[in-house]
Amino acid sequence: MARDLLLLELITTRIPPRPHRELAALLAVLDDQLERRTLPDPLAHRRPWSPGEYWWHHRLYDESHHL
């Protein structure tokens, strides 16, 4: 699934402030692209959120195309 690199989340919490800001800015751009290229899952409300789930787990996208 897109953006399912928990390593990215771990890194953003453990790097110094300046690289953290730079990585966060890059991820914000990529997240914006992902959000624009996907649709909200209309059935997501039926599934409870699980620990470790993020907003992109509740989006629909065509997995045959790389984002």
Side-chain angles (χ1 to χ4, degrees):
M1 178 167 281
R3 180 87 154 78
D4 262 352
L5 295 175
L6 295 178
L7 181 58
L8 284 175
E9 300 304 316
L10 181 62
I11 290 171
T12 58
T13 63
R14 296 187 178 190
I15 58 178
R18 183 175 178 186
H20 173 85
R21 286 189 303 271
E22 292 171 358
L23 181 57
L26 176 59
L27 290 175
V29 170
L30 295 173
D31 285 347
D32 182 55
Q33 288 180 8
L34 179 62
E35 190 170 13
R36 280 183 304 171
R37 294 178 179 189
T38 60
L39 297 171
D41 182 350
L43 303 177
H45 69 281
R46 294 183 180 180
R47 294 178 296 152
W49 282 77
S50 301
E53 268 194 323
Y54 297 94
W55 63 268
W56 55 86
H57 293 138
H58 295 268
R59 304 289 293 179
L60 298 174
Y61 58 94
D62 183 357
E63 293 184 28
S64 67
H65 292 76
H66 295 286
L67 297 174

